[in-house]
Amino acid sequence: DTEVTQTPKHLVMGMTNKKSLKCEQHMGHRAMYWYKQKAKKPPELMFVYSYEKLSINESVPSRFSPECPNSSLLNLHLHALQPEDSALYLCASSQVQGGGTEAFFGQGTRLTVV
Amino acid sequence: AQRVTQPEKLLSVFKGAPVELKCNYSYSGSPELFWYVQYSRQRLQLLLRHISRESIKGFTADLNKGETSFHLKKPFAQEEDSAMYYCALRSYNTDKLIFGTGTRLQVFP
């Protein structure tokens, strides 16, 4: 299984809502990533988890809260988002550190904040 | 700091023409360089990595540390090569993977 699965595929939420994005992989990868991608723009790194610990936070606002409950799962909890947070959120996983290892990407969750 | 630059937003060629997508990087340590491709309505996927020096779908890329470049080349473009191409850099001793701004390749029949 070389897939990264993200749920839901689409999400519409109000600015006062709380929701979560989920990501799952069963490739034994110990590095997992969240990216944000706006239309016609490249993926922008948000968070990196290595061995289930948060290793990189790219100064992301606290209304985005990542969680890595185990080596296969990655969540992104959303609260009090703004309309400008509407984007495609991508999850990825890879082996850790070095060796030219490939990052596998999910299809993404398309988030609309209203 | 890590940075990846792709100067061309759009590259349009005719089928059979050579293609070169430019990528320059800035990184003080030992970088790992990749090319990722995103076909229409498909997920982002790896095309090439510098460490394996392979040719995939006729594409090659050579890491030039002197010029800090990792340009992607193909001698004869095909219509099915039309896609968005991202150059990416990962630092060797962390898991930070960042992307350039991307180049859209259009191959006309």
Side-chain angles (χ1 to χ4, degrees), chain A residues 42-106:
Chain A
E44 183 183 329
L45 183 64
M46 300 175 72
F47 302 105
V48 181
Y49 273 82
S50 299
Y51 296 107
E52 297 85 68
K53 289 187 175 10
L54 183 65
S55 58
I56 296 173
N57 177 343
E58 292 287 279
S59 303
V60 179
S62 59
R63 56 185 185 269
F64 295 91
S65 175
E67 179 197 20
C68 189
N70 61 54
S71 59
S72 299
L73 294 175
L74 185 67
N75 298 321
L76 186 63
H77 303 298
L78 314 172
H79 174 54
L81 293 195
Q82 303 296 310
E84 58 264 29
D85 297 321
S86 298
L88 182 68
Y89 288 84
L90 296 172
C91 174
S93 72
S94 74
Q95 294 177 21
V96 297
Q97 292 188 17
T101 54
E102 173 180 357
F104 290 81
F105 283 81

Side-chain angles (χ1 to χ4, degrees), chain A residues 3-4 33 35 37 41-43 45 48 50 56 58 94-103 105-107, chain B residues 32 34 36 38 41-46 49 51 86 90-102:
Chain A
E3 262 207 8
V4 175
Y33 308 76
Y35 288 86
Q37 188 175 27
K41 296 289 187 185
L45 183 64
V48 181
S50 299
I56 296 173
E58 292 287 279
S94 74
Q95 294 177 21
V96 297
Q97 292 188 17
T101 54
E102 173 180 357
F105 283 81
Q107 286 275 36
Chain B
E32 297 178 6
F34 305 86
Y36 281 82
Q38 192 166 32
R41 288 187 288 279
Q42 292 188 28
R43 67 183 68 195
L44 200 57
Q45 57 187 284
L46 179 73
R49 71 195 92 188
I51 200 167
Y86 292 102
R90 177 169 155 165
S91 60
Y92 189 78
N93 57 355
T94 76
D95 297 311
K96 185 170 180 176
L97 176 66
I98 64 164
F99 289 84
T101 48

Side-chain angles (χ1 to χ4, degrees), chain B residues 66-83:
Chain B
E67 295 182 0
T68 59
S69 68
F70 189 56
H71 304 325
L72 183 68
K73 299 177 185 178
K74 185 168 183 176
F76 308 104
Q78 303 298 314
E79 289 179 70
E80 55 267 29
D81 296 328
S82 296

Side-chain angles (χ1 to χ4, degrees), chain B residues 6-108:
Chain B
Q6 294 179 250
E8 304 131 334
K9 282 189 175 177
L10 175 65
L11 187 61
S12 298
V13 301
F14 286 101
K15 177 183 171 182
V19 165
E20 183 178 42
L21 285 73
K22 291 185 166 48
C23 172
N24 287 90
Y25 67 91
S26 173
Y27 181 62
S28 56
S30 296
E32 297 178 6
L33 275 298
F34 305 86
W35 278 97
Y36 281 82
V37 60
Q38 192 166 32
Y39 300 102
S40 180
R41 288 187 288 279
Q42 292 188 28
R43 67 183 68 195
L44 200 57
Q45 57 187 284
L46 179 73
L47 179 65
L48 282 177
R49 71 195 92 188
H50 90 269
I51 200 167
S52 52
R53 301 179 64 83
E54 59 203 339
S55 173
I56 303 291
K57 299 184 180 181
F59 285 98
T60 58
D62 288 317
L63 178 61
N64 185 325
K65 290 189 177 180
E67 295 182 0
T68 59
S69 68
F70 189 56
H71 304 325
L72 183 68
K73 299 177 185 178
K74 185 168 183 176
F76 308 104
Q78 303 298 314
E79 289 179 70
E80 55 267 29
D81 296 328
S82 296
M84 193 73 182
Y85 291 80
Y86 292 102
C87 184
L89 182 153
R90 177 169 155 165
S91 60
Y92 189 78
N93 57 355
T94 76
D95 297 311
K96 185 170 180 176
L97 176 66
I98 64 164
F99 289 84
T101 48
T103 298
R104 179 165 296 284
L105 175 64
Q106 288 182 332
V107 182
F108 296 111

